[in-house]
Amino acid sequence: MPKRQIIIDTDPGQDDAMAILLALGSPQELELLGITCVAGNVPLDLTCKNARITCEAAGRADVPVYAGCGAPLERPLVTAEHVHGLTGLDGPDLWEPQMPLAEGHAVDFIIHTLRRHPPGTVTLATLGPLTNIGAAFRKAPDIISRVQEIVMMGGAYFEVGNITPAAEFNIYVDPEAAECVFKSGAALTVMPLDVTHKALATKPRIDAFRALGSKVGTFAAEMLDFFERFDTEKYGSDGGPLHDPCVTAYLIRPELFSGKHVNVEVEVQSDLTRGMTVADWWRVTDRAPNAMFMDQVDADGFFSLLTERLARL
Ligand code: RIB
Ligand code: CA
């Protein structure tokens, strides 16, 4: 299978960091063209810092990391320090990254990269609010048809919301950007809470990272020891859901996942249901399917892949 050329758009976030580490541990399958940071879990300055810390933890200070949008397209920023801690990467001892940010705005990097590569050869792997992608599509609509696929973590249907009763955080933060992406016509593969809540970082799975005995393994275990407390307390589950690594795992081993190609639209009008992803799962409307909406994962296979690839860093 040819290598996928990808841009990771992200708001690290411990689970984002795990997704980035999985990508960096998989150079045979993924060519990481760059990382674009967006405000989300924490403000932009921290997501930019955390993305570079993650690259340095993996010994990959060569990866270009760009600063993107500091606020949603049309709304004030909502953050999630209650989940990720004040740094956004609570758990391990952190450091001031030595690698600089890449020159230029993340939105322009996305536009230029898509224009420079042949159509259908660049995948956008999105792990946070879709602000950078929405801004790029509004600024340069010509790039939409050049996107190979957007593989995103976001949304929820049967699992309902995590930031409100109706909405998942990434979509809730910037529903206008999400609406732009879902209506764009680009090929979409969505990892909603319906599937990510089946990828739980239980204690044995976290211990497997720690048992690697490496800097990265310890870094991962310490992040997840902190990250999992929120969801285990909230849901009574025996581990925290590893949302964002579902995106990179899909790019490496798509057979780990299954779902349905259905119509998904985003609520942007109502305050009550802002950011809800309305998935026509049972096809009760004539709205055309626009997204592969995943709801099943081979969780053991997912964590085996994660552990095996982190062992390479
Ligand atoms: O709702 C989960 C998503 O919101 C994940 O991407 C997490 O990192 C946060 O961004
Ligand atoms: Ca994220």
Side-chain angles (χ1 to χ4, degrees), residues 7-21 23 35-36 38 40-41 84 124-130 133 150-154 168-170 191 243-249 251:
I7 294 172
I8 291 180
D9 190 75
T10 181
D11 64 333
Q14 292 88 349
D15 59 322
D16 301 69
M18 291 297 289
I20 293 167
L21 291 173
I35 293 175
T36 52
V38 67
N41 286 320
H84 299 272
L124 303 179
T126 73
L127 313 179
L130 290 160
I133 312 305
I150 298 173
V151 184
M152 75 169 71
M153 191 280 141
E168 177 278 325
F169 178 79
N170 287 341
M191 296 290 165
H243 307 288
D244 295 336
C246 288
V247 170
T248 26
L251 291 169

mmCIF file of all heavy atoms in Angstrom, residues 7-21 23 35-36 38 40-41 84 124-130 133 150-154 168-170 191 243-249 251:
data_model
loop_
_atom_site.group_PDB
_atom_site.id
_atom_site.type_symbol
_atom_site.label_atom_id
_atom_site.label_comp_id
_atom_site.label_asym_id
_atom_site.label_seq_id
_atom_site.Cartn_x
_atom_site.Cartn_y
_atom_site.Cartn_z
ATOM 1 N N ILE A 7 -1.388 15.613 6.767
ATOM 2 C CA ILE A 7 -1.235 16.757 7.667
ATOM 3 C C ILE A 7 -2.057 16.424 8.906
ATOM 4 O O ILE A 7 -3.216 16.000 8.768
ATOM 5 C CB ILE A 7 -1.748 18.063 7.037
ATOM 6 C CG1 ILE A 7 -0.904 18.470 5.833
ATOM 7 C CG2 ILE A 7 -1.791 19.187 8.071
ATOM 8 C CD1 ILE A 7 -1.484 19.650 5.046
ATOM 9 N N ILE A 8 -1.456 16.532 10.084
ATOM 10 C CA ILE A 8 -2.210 16.330 11.330
ATOM 11 C C ILE A 8 -2.586 17.705 11.874
ATOM 12 O O ILE A 8 -1.716 18.548 12.113
ATOM 13 C CB ILE A 8 -1.390 15.551 12.369
ATOM 14 C CG1 ILE A 8 -1.184 14.094 11.924
ATOM 15 C CG2 ILE A 8 -2.102 15.586 13.727
ATOM 16 C CD1 ILE A 8 -0.369 13.243 12.899
ATOM 17 N N ASP A 9 -3.900 17.937 12.017
ATOM 18 C CA ASP A 9 -4.404 19.185 12.600
ATOM 19 C C ASP A 9 -4.884 18.864 14.019
ATOM 20 O O ASP A 9 -5.691 17.942 14.200
ATOM 21 C CB ASP A 9 -5.563 19.737 11.739
ATOM 22 C CG ASP A 9 -5.953 21.148 12.150
ATOM 23 O OD1 ASP A 9 -5.185 22.082 11.813
ATOM 24 O OD2 ASP A 9 -6.994 21.315 12.813
ATOM 25 N N THR A 10 -4.391 19.592 15.015
ATOM 26 C CA THR A 10 -4.491 19.062 16.370
ATOM 27 C C THR A 10 -4.542 20.127 17.459
ATOM 28 O O THR A 10 -4.092 21.262 17.279
ATOM 29 C CB THR A 10 -3.266 18.130 16.603
ATOM 30 O OG1 THR A 10 -3.306 17.556 17.900
ATOM 31 C CG2 THR A 10 -1.967 18.901 16.426
ATOM 32 N N ASP A 11 -5.114 19.718 18.622
ATOM 33 C CA ASP A 11 -5.175 20.616 19.792
ATOM 34 C C ASP A 11 -4.653 19.883 21.037
ATOM 35 O O ASP A 11 -5.376 19.737 22.032
ATOM 36 C CB ASP A 11 -6.616 21.105 20.011
ATOM 37 C CG ASP A 11 -7.581 19.981 20.365
ATOM 38 O OD1 ASP A 11 -7.346 18.815 19.972
ATOM 39 O OD2 ASP A 11 -8.579 20.268 21.081
ATOM 40 N N PRO A 12 -3.400 19.424 21.037
ATOM 41 C CA PRO A 12 -2.905 18.578 22.142
ATOM 42 C C PRO A 12 -3.083 19.253 23.518
ATOM 43 O O PRO A 12 -2.675 20.401 23.704
ATOM 44 C CB PRO A 12 -1.412 18.426 21.841
ATOM 45 C CG PRO A 12 -1.211 18.905 20.460
ATOM 46 C CD PRO A 12 -2.310 19.832 20.130
ATOM 47 N N GLY A 13 -3.525 18.417 24.406
ATOM 48 C CA GLY A 13 -4.344 17.203 24.492
ATOM 49 C C GLY A 13 -3.505 15.912 24.486
ATOM 50 O O GLY A 13 -2.750 15.639 23.575
ATOM 51 N N GLN A 14 -3.671 15.179 25.652
ATOM 52 C CA GLN A 14 -2.968 13.910 25.803
ATOM 53 C C GLN A 14 -3.334 12.922 24.694
ATOM 54 O O GLN A 14 -2.447 12.233 24.156
ATOM 55 C CB GLN A 14 -3.272 13.259 27.174
ATOM 56 C CG GLN A 14 -2.709 13.989 28.394
ATOM 57 C CD GLN A 14 -3.645 15.060 28.934
ATOM 58 O OE1 GLN A 14 -4.646 15.415 28.277
ATOM 59 N NE2 GLN A 14 -3.333 15.591 30.112
ATOM 60 N N ASP A 15 -4.614 12.814 24.330
ATOM 61 C CA ASP A 15 -4.962 11.832 23.307
ATOM 62 C C ASP A 15 -4.459 12.248 21.939
ATOM 63 O O ASP A 15 -4.068 11.405 21.120
ATOM 64 C CB ASP A 15 -6.470 11.544 23.305
ATOM 65 C CG ASP A 15 -7.336 12.762 23.044
ATOM 66 O OD1 ASP A 15 -7.009 13.845 23.526
ATOM 67 O OD2 ASP A 15 -8.334 12.618 22.321
ATOM 68 N N ASP A 16 -4.415 13.588 21.692
ATOM 69 C CA ASP A 16 -3.780 14.076 20.462
ATOM 70 C C ASP A 16 -2.315 13.640 20.416
ATOM 71 O O ASP A 16 -1.818 13.167 19.386
ATOM 72 C CB ASP A 16 -3.813 15.602 20.402
ATOM 73 C CG ASP A 16 -5.189 16.213 20.458
ATOM 74 O OD1 ASP A 16 -5.830 16.140 21.515
ATOM 75 O OD2 ASP A 16 -5.634 16.738 19.431
ATOM 76 N N ALA A 17 -1.634 13.798 21.549
ATOM 77 C CA ALA A 17 -0.210 13.459 21.611
ATOM 78 C C ALA A 17 -0.009 11.982 21.298
ATOM 79 O O ALA A 17 0.917 11.608 20.559
ATOM 80 C CB ALA A 17 0.352 13.805 22.988
ATOM 81 N N MET A 18 -0.890 11.136 21.790
ATOM 82 C CA MET A 18 -0.790 9.702 21.493
ATOM 83 C C MET A 18 -0.990 9.455 20.002
ATOM 84 O O MET A 18 -0.307 8.620 19.396
ATOM 85 C CB MET A 18 -1.832 8.924 22.311
ATOM 86 C CG MET A 18 -1.591 8.882 23.803
ATOM 87 S SD MET A 18 -0.057 8.041 24.259
ATOM 88 C CE MET A 18 -0.502 6.336 23.888
ATOM 89 N N ALA A 19 -1.897 10.190 19.396
ATOM 90 C CA ALA A 19 -2.149 10.043 17.951
ATOM 91 C C ALA A 19 -0.934 10.469 17.144
ATOM 92 O O ALA A 19 -0.565 9.828 16.146
ATOM 93 C CB ALA A 19 -3.373 10.862 17.546
ATOM 94 N N ILE A 20 -0.290 11.543 17.575
ATOM 95 C CA ILE A 20 0.917 12.035 16.888
ATOM 96 C C ILE A 20 2.044 11.021 17.047
ATOM 97 O O ILE A 20 2.750 10.691 16.088
ATOM 98 C CB ILE A 20 1.320 13.416 17.440
ATOM 99 C CG1 ILE A 20 0.272 14.476 17.075
ATOM 100 C CG2 ILE A 20 2.705 13.831 16.939
ATOM 101 C CD1 ILE A 20 0.419 15.801 17.842
ATOM 102 N N LEU A 21 2.212 10.472 18.254
ATOM 103 C CA LEU A 21 3.261 9.471 18.489
ATOM 104 C C LEU A 21 3.034 8.235 17.621
ATOM 105 O O LEU A 21 3.969 7.678 17.040
ATOM 106 C CB LEU A 21 3.308 9.085 19.967
ATOM 107 C CG LEU A 21 3.809 10.160 20.938
ATOM 108 C CD1 LEU A 21 3.632 9.701 22.383
ATOM 109 C CD2 LEU A 21 5.259 10.538 20.648
ATOM 110 N N ALA A 23 1.580 8.158 14.733
ATOM 111 C CA ALA A 23 1.957 8.533 13.357
ATOM 112 C C ALA A 23 3.472 8.535 13.198
ATOM 113 O O ALA A 23 4.021 7.997 12.231
ATOM 114 C CB ALA A 23 1.391 9.910 13.018
ATOM 115 N N ILE A 35 2.444 19.387 11.035
ATOM 116 C CA ILE A 35 1.428 19.433 12.089
ATOM 117 C C ILE A 35 0.902 20.862 12.166
ATOM 118 O O ILE A 35 1.689 21.823 12.216
ATOM 119 C CB ILE A 35 2.026 19.005 13.445
ATOM 120 C CG1 ILE A 35 2.407 17.520 13.418
ATOM 121 C CG2 ILE A 35 1.040 19.285 14.581
ATOM 122 C CD1 ILE A 35 3.114 17.033 14.683
ATOM 123 N N THR A 36 -0.415 21.008 12.123
ATOM 124 C CA THR A 36 -1.025 22.336 12.242
ATOM 125 C C THR A 36 -1.812 22.381 13.550
ATOM 126 O O THR A 36 -2.619 21.491 13.826
ATOM 127 C CB THR A 36 -1.952 22.626 11.045
ATOM 128 O OG1 THR A 36 -2.879 21.539 10.879
ATOM 129 C CG2 THR A 36 -1.135 22.749 9.758
ATOM 130 N N VAL A 38 -4.315 24.100 16.494
ATOM 131 C CA VAL A 38 -5.543 24.889 16.595
ATOM 132 C C VAL A 38 -5.903 25.044 18.061
ATOM 133 O O VAL A 38 -5.533 24.180 18.881
ATOM 134 C CB VAL A 38 -6.688 24.201 15.803
ATOM 135 C CG1 VAL A 38 -7.099 22.867 16.459
ATOM 136 C CG2 VAL A 38 -7.883 25.125 15.628
ATOM 137 N N GLY A 40 -8.232 24.674 21.163
ATOM 138 C CA GLY A 40 -9.285 23.694 21.466
ATOM 139 C C GLY A 40 -9.220 23.279 22.919
ATOM 140 O O GLY A 40 -9.667 24.003 23.802
ATOM 141 N N ASN A 41 -8.575 22.140 23.168
ATOM 142 C CA ASN A 41 -8.478 21.670 24.558
ATOM 143 C C ASN A 41 -7.913 22.764 25.468
ATOM 144 O O ASN A 41 -8.342 22.916 26.612
ATOM 145 C CB ASN A 41 -7.548 20.452 24.631
ATOM 146 C CG ASN A 41 -8.201 19.207 24.076
ATOM 147 O OD1 ASN A 41 -9.385 18.966 24.310
ATOM 148 N ND2 ASN A 41 -7.456 18.433 23.304
ATOM 149 N N HIS A 84 -8.007 17.925 30.428
ATOM 150 C CA HIS A 84 -6.592 17.757 30.055
ATOM 151 C C HIS A 84 -5.619 18.424 31.019
ATOM 152 O O HIS A 84 -4.410 18.271 30.876
ATOM 153 C CB HIS A 84 -6.388 18.301 28.638
ATOM 154 C CG HIS A 84 -7.214 17.590 27.610
ATOM 155 N ND1 HIS A 84 -6.789 16.456 26.946
ATOM 156 C CD2 HIS A 84 -8.471 17.818 27.155
ATOM 157 C CE1 HIS A 84 -7.731 16.030 26.129
ATOM 158 N NE2 HIS A 84 -8.773 16.828 26.248
ATOM 159 N N LEU A 124 -6.054 14.893 5.288
ATOM 160 C CA LEU A 124 -6.115 15.743 6.474
ATOM 161 C C LEU A 124 -6.599 14.892 7.641
ATOM 162 O O LEU A 124 -7.722 14.379 7.612
ATOM 163 C CB LEU A 124 -7.058 16.926 6.244
ATOM 164 C CG LEU A 124 -6.741 17.831 5.039
ATOM 165 C CD1 LEU A 124 -7.787 18.948 4.935
ATOM 166 C CD2 LEU A 124 -5.348 18.412 5.127
ATOM 167 N N ALA A 125 -5.742 14.725 8.643
ATOM 168 C CA ALA A 125 -6.085 13.959 9.845
ATOM 169 C C ALA A 125 -6.373 14.962 10.952
ATOM 170 O O ALA A 125 -5.448 15.609 11.454
ATOM 171 C CB ALA A 125 -4.941 13.026 10.230
ATOM 172 N N THR A 126 -7.643 15.152 11.288
ATOM 173 C CA THR A 126 -8.004 16.219 12.226
ATOM 174 C C THR A 126 -8.375 15.639 13.586
ATOM 175 O O THR A 126 -9.176 14.722 13.682
ATOM 176 C CB THR A 126 -9.175 17.073 11.674
ATOM 177 O OG1 THR A 126 -10.381 16.339 11.750
ATOM 178 C CG2 THR A 126 -8.909 17.491 10.241
ATOM 179 N N LEU A 127 -7.772 16.235 14.613
ATOM 180 C CA LEU A 127 -7.901 15.729 15.981
ATOM 181 C C LEU A 127 -8.557 16.740 16.922
ATOM 182 O O LEU A 127 -8.697 16.463 18.115
ATOM 183 C CB LEU A 127 -6.527 15.354 16.527
ATOM 184 C CG LEU A 127 -5.619 14.512 15.619
ATOM 185 C CD1 LEU A 127 -4.286 14.248 16.299
ATOM 186 C CD2 LEU A 127 -6.301 13.225 15.207
ATOM 187 N N GLY A 128 -8.915 17.897 16.411
ATOM 188 C CA GLY A 128 -9.485 18.944 17.270
ATOM 189 C C GLY A 128 -10.617 19.659 16.564
ATOM 190 O O GLY A 128 -11.141 19.172 15.558
ATOM 191 N N PRO A 129 -10.994 20.832 17.090
ATOM 192 C CA PRO A 129 -11.978 21.641 16.373
ATOM 193 C C PRO A 129 -11.510 21.898 14.940
ATOM 194 O O PRO A 129 -10.315 22.004 14.680
ATOM 195 C CB PRO A 129 -12.009 22.940 17.189
ATOM 196 C CG PRO A 129 -11.596 22.523 18.559
ATOM 197 C CD PRO A 129 -10.562 21.443 18.361
ATOM 198 N N LEU A 130 -12.475 22.029 14.024
ATOM 199 C CA LEU A 130 -12.145 22.061 12.590
ATOM 200 C C LEU A 130 -11.875 23.476 12.071
ATOM 201 O O LEU A 130 -11.949 23.732 10.856
ATOM 202 C CB LEU A 130 -13.266 21.392 11.812
ATOM 203 C CG LEU A 130 -13.340 19.867 12.035
ATOM 204 C CD1 LEU A 130 -14.719 19.325 11.663
ATOM 205 C CD2 LEU A 130 -12.248 19.157 11.252
ATOM 206 N N ILE A 133 -9.320 23.953 9.198
ATOM 207 C CA ILE A 133 -9.793 23.377 7.940
ATOM 208 C C ILE A 133 -10.900 24.256 7.357
ATOM 209 O O ILE A 133 -10.899 24.588 6.161
ATOM 210 C CB ILE A 133 -10.301 21.940 8.150
ATOM 211 C CG1 ILE A 133 -9.315 21.101 8.965
ATOM 212 C CG2 ILE A 133 -10.601 21.288 6.792
ATOM 213 C CD1 ILE A 133 -7.907 21.023 8.437
ATOM 214 N N ILE A 150 -10.552 13.396 4.447
ATOM 215 C CA ILE A 150 -10.448 13.963 5.791
ATOM 216 C C ILE A 150 -10.828 12.855 6.773
ATOM 217 O O ILE A 150 -11.924 12.279 6.662
ATOM 218 C CB ILE A 150 -11.369 15.176 5.994
ATOM 219 C CG1 ILE A 150 -10.995 16.309 5.027
ATOM 220 C CG2 ILE A 150 -11.295 15.673 7.436
ATOM 221 C CD1 ILE A 150 -11.963 17.487 5.047
ATOM 222 N N VAL A 151 -9.899 12.486 7.635
ATOM 223 C CA VAL A 151 -10.190 11.512 8.686
ATOM 224 C C VAL A 151 -10.183 12.285 9.993
ATOM 225 O O VAL A 151 -9.164 12.873 10.363
ATOM 226 C CB VAL A 151 -9.159 10.375 8.719
ATOM 227 C CG1 VAL A 151 -9.549 9.319 9.758
ATOM 228 C CG2 VAL A 151 -9.026 9.723 7.332
ATOM 229 N N MET A 152 -11.327 12.363 10.625
ATOM 230 C CA MET A 152 -11.475 13.249 11.783
ATOM 231 C C MET A 152 -11.934 12.512 13.038
ATOM 232 O O MET A 152 -12.686 11.520 12.937
ATOM 233 C CB MET A 152 -12.487 14.354 11.479
ATOM 234 C CG MET A 152 -13.932 13.902 11.483
ATOM 235 S SD MET A 152 -15.113 15.278 11.448
ATOM 236 C CE MET A 152 -14.883 15.859 9.787
ATOM 237 N N MET A 153 -11.494 13.017 14.168
ATOM 238 C CA MET A 153 -12.131 12.637 15.418
ATOM 239 C C MET A 153 -13.137 13.738 15.703
ATOM 240 O O MET A 153 -12.775 14.911 15.837
ATOM 241 C CB MET A 153 -11.118 12.540 16.586
ATOM 242 C CG MET A 153 -11.733 11.885 17.824
ATOM 243 S SD MET A 153 -12.745 13.066 18.777
ATOM 244 C CE MET A 153 -14.112 11.998 19.274
ATOM 245 N N GLY A 154 -14.423 13.334 15.839
ATOM 246 C CA GLY A 154 -15.421 14.340 16.168
ATOM 247 C C GLY A 154 -16.812 13.756 16.066
ATOM 248 O O GLY A 154 -17.024 12.751 15.395
ATOM 249 N N GLU A 168 -20.386 16.599 20.874
ATOM 250 C CA GLU A 168 -19.010 16.209 21.199
ATOM 251 C C GLU A 168 -18.150 17.476 21.117
ATOM 252 O O GLU A 168 -18.394 18.377 20.315
ATOM 253 C CB GLU A 168 -18.569 15.137 20.174
ATOM 254 C CG GLU A 168 -17.143 14.672 20.302
ATOM 255 C CD GLU A 168 -16.167 15.622 19.637
ATOM 256 O OE1 GLU A 168 -16.514 16.203 18.602
ATOM 257 O OE2 GLU A 168 -15.065 15.810 20.184
ATOM 258 N N PHE A 169 -17.074 17.533 21.889
ATOM 259 C CA PHE A 169 -16.291 18.762 22.078
ATOM 260 C C PHE A 169 -15.767 19.357 20.767
ATOM 261 O O PHE A 169 -15.911 20.568 20.536
ATOM 262 C CB PHE A 169 -15.113 18.461 23.019
ATOM 263 C CG PHE A 169 -14.211 19.630 23.268
ATOM 264 C CD1 PHE A 169 -14.576 20.630 24.167
ATOM 265 C CD2 PHE A 169 -13.003 19.748 22.592
ATOM 266 C CE1 PHE A 169 -13.744 21.726 24.402
ATOM 267 C CE2 PHE A 169 -12.167 20.834 22.819
ATOM 268 C CZ PHE A 169 -12.537 21.835 23.720
ATOM 269 N N ASN A 170 -15.102 18.582 19.914
ATOM 270 C CA ASN A 170 -14.463 19.147 18.715
ATOM 271 C C ASN A 170 -15.475 19.861 17.817
ATOM 272 O O ASN A 170 -15.181 20.907 17.255
ATOM 273 C CB ASN A 170 -13.737 18.065 17.912
ATOM 274 C CG ASN A 170 -12.459 17.609 18.589
ATOM 275 O OD1 ASN A 170 -11.918 18.307 19.446
ATOM 276 N ND2 ASN A 170 -11.991 16.426 18.229
ATOM 277 N N MET A 191 -14.492 9.515 13.198
ATOM 278 C CA MET A 191 -14.340 8.705 14.415
ATOM 279 C C MET A 191 -15.093 9.436 15.532
ATOM 280 O O MET A 191 -14.539 10.281 16.220
ATOM 281 C CB MET A 191 -12.859 8.574 14.787
ATOM 282 C CG MET A 191 -12.039 7.832 13.763
ATOM 283 S SD MET A 191 -12.463 6.078 13.756
ATOM 284 C CE MET A 191 -11.694 5.604 12.194
ATOM 285 N N HIS A 243 -9.503 8.828 22.124
ATOM 286 C CA HIS A 243 -10.226 9.359 20.970
ATOM 287 C C HIS A 243 -9.324 9.519 19.730
ATOM 288 O O HIS A 243 -9.534 8.877 18.721
ATOM 289 C CB HIS A 243 -10.806 10.739 21.288
ATOM 290 C CG HIS A 243 -11.644 10.811 22.529
ATOM 291 N ND1 HIS A 243 -12.903 10.272 22.632
ATOM 292 C CD2 HIS A 243 -11.392 11.389 23.725
ATOM 293 C CE1 HIS A 243 -13.391 10.510 23.831
ATOM 294 N NE2 HIS A 243 -12.510 11.189 24.513
ATOM 295 N N ASP A 244 -8.351 10.393 19.811
ATOM 296 C CA ASP A 244 -7.633 10.838 18.616
ATOM 297 C C ASP A 244 -6.759 9.772 17.954
ATOM 298 O O ASP A 244 -6.645 9.740 16.721
ATOM 299 C CB ASP A 244 -6.798 12.082 18.950
ATOM 300 C CG ASP A 244 -7.681 13.277 19.315
ATOM 301 O OD1 ASP A 244 -8.851 13.302 18.887
ATOM 302 O OD2 ASP A 244 -7.199 14.175 20.021
ATOM 303 N N PRO A 245 -6.136 8.855 18.730
ATOM 304 C CA PRO A 245 -5.352 7.809 18.045
ATOM 305 C C PRO A 245 -6.199 6.914 17.136
ATOM 306 O O PRO A 245 -5.650 6.233 16.266
ATOM 307 C CB PRO A 245 -4.753 7.011 19.205
ATOM 308 C CG PRO A 245 -4.718 7.956 20.348
ATOM 309 C CD PRO A 245 -5.947 8.810 20.183
ATOM 310 N N CYS A 246 -7.528 6.941 17.275
ATOM 311 C CA CYS A 246 -8.379 6.190 16.334
ATOM 312 C C CYS A 246 -8.189 6.708 14.912
ATOM 313 O O CYS A 246 -8.262 5.950 13.946
ATOM 314 C CB CYS A 246 -9.847 6.297 16.745
ATOM 315 S SG CYS A 246 -10.281 5.373 18.225
ATOM 316 N N VAL A 247 -7.887 8.003 14.790
ATOM 317 C CA VAL A 247 -7.677 8.591 13.454
ATOM 318 C C VAL A 247 -6.406 8.025 12.818
ATOM 319 O O VAL A 247 -6.430 7.516 11.685
ATOM 320 C CB VAL A 247 -7.598 10.129 13.553
ATOM 321 C CG1 VAL A 247 -7.132 10.753 12.246
ATOM 322 C CG2 VAL A 247 -8.960 10.696 13.971
ATOM 323 N N THR A 248 -5.305 8.072 13.544
ATOM 324 C CA THR A 248 -4.047 7.592 12.931
ATOM 325 C C THR A 248 -4.063 6.070 12.801
ATOM 326 O O THR A 248 -3.544 5.511 11.846
ATOM 327 C CB THR A 248 -2.827 8.037 13.769
ATOM 328 O OG1 THR A 248 -3.198 8.241 15.131
ATOM 329 C CG2 THR A 248 -2.259 9.324 13.239
ATOM 330 N N ALA A 249 -4.705 5.367 13.755
ATOM 331 C CA ALA A 249 -4.788 3.902 13.631
ATOM 332 C C ALA A 249 -5.569 3.529 12.370
ATOM 333 O O ALA A 249 -5.203 2.588 11.653
ATOM 334 C CB ALA A 249 -5.456 3.305 14.870
ATOM 335 N N LEU A 251 -5.675 5.190 9.611
ATOM 336 C CA LEU A 251 -4.818 5.444 8.442
ATOM 337 C C LEU A 251 -3.796 4.324 8.241
ATOM 338 O O LEU A 251 -3.330 4.081 7.133
ATOM 339 C CB LEU A 251 -4.099 6.783 8.611
ATOM 340 C CG LEU A 251 -5.006 8.011 8.543
ATOM 341 C CD1 LEU A 251 -4.260 9.267 8.991
ATOM 342 C CD2 LEU A 251 -5.551 8.194 7.126
#
